[in-house]
Amino acid sequence: MSYPEFLEYPEPRYHGDRGEVNAAFRPASTPPDISSPGGGATHYLATNESTGGEFGLYKVELGARAAGAKTHFHKAMSESFYILSGELELYNGERWVTGRAGDFLYVPVGGLHAFKNVTDEPMSMLLLFSPGAPREEYFERVAEMSQRGGEELKRFRIRHDSYFVEDFEPEGE
């Protein structure tokens, strides 16, 4: 395999010449940041704040028959799904596909997507948002806001760069 002589890397953002001690370690034994009824949990592995806005990485555990998220898209960030265990139905904008351990789905900015656990078993996945965004409030309040519904839910979703198709369908459809 041949490689081009000149490679295009992003512009340097660190300008020192010796490196720094600044890595962050999170043990697997760290309890989840959010737990929900039905066996759901979210672990904040790398947040917008901790990565300086580069990305957000979350481990999400869904209980059996968990609804997940209906069809939506993001205007400011891509979203990637990596299945760690179990199965997850993923909508890729055209059709539903079954994701299993080791499967990966990348959704570019503006890409329609959805997900749900339709099995009787729990599942876990990594969610990666790029660039990073302050998703923690979304994860922490989405259940509460979904209960409220209506315009308040729609405003909450838009505030968090989540444009759900159902929010923009004409009434009566």
Side-chain angles (χ1 to χ4, degrees):
M1 173 178 237
S2 66
Y3 296 96
E5 184 175 338
F6 299 100
L7 299 176
E8 292 189 33
Y9 274 77
E11 288 294 318
R13 294 183 295 158
Y14 175 74
H15 299 286
D17 57 2
R18 297 193 186 261
E20 294 180 5
V21 176
N22 60 4
F25 176 72
R26 181 181 167 107
S29 61
T30 304
D33 295 280
I34 303 171
S35 295
S36 59
T42 303
H43 304 257
Y44 299 166
L45 303 179
T47 64
N48 172 65
E49 183 177 352
S50 69
T51 67
E54 290 184 33
F55 65 93
L57 180 64
Y58 306 88
K59 179 181 176 190
V60 176
E61 299 164 350
L62 295 178
R65 303 275 170 201
K70 294 179 182 178
T71 305
H72 65 285
F73 63 94
H74 307 289
K75 293 184 177 185
M77 60 192 174
S78 65
E79 186 171 358
S80 296
F81 299 79
Y82 182 79
I83 309 303
L84 296 170
S85 66
E87 293 184 2
L88 184 69
E89 293 300 304
L90 296 157
Y91 182 64
N92 67 9
E94 290 183 313
R95 62 186 171 89
W96 288 93
V97 295
T98 302
R100 296 178 178 86
D103 289 344
F104 176 77
L105 175 67
Y106 168 66
V107 183
V109 174
L112 292 169
H113 60 288
F115 61 92
K116 58 187 173 183
N117 182 358
V118 299
T119 73
D120 292 326
E121 299 296 324
M123 65 80 54
S124 66
M125 65 178 157
L126 293 177
L127 281 183
L128 174 73
F129 296 95
S130 180
R135 296 299 285 172
E136 296 77 35
E137 180 191 20
Y138 184 82
F139 292 135
E140 293 167 11
R141 297 191 64 209
V142 67
E144 166 200 343
M145 297 306 288
S146 294
Q147 291 290 333
R148 294 181 186 184
E151 284 299 312
E152 192 173 4
L153 173 60
K154 182 178 176 180
R155 284 191 307 275
F156 174 79
R157 288 171 167 173
I158 291 171
R159 169 182 157 91
H160 291 285
D161 189 33
S162 296
Y163 297 84
F164 280 73
V165 170
E166 69 185 10
D167 289 339
F168 300 99
E169 291 176 342
E171 295 294 324
E173 285 191 21

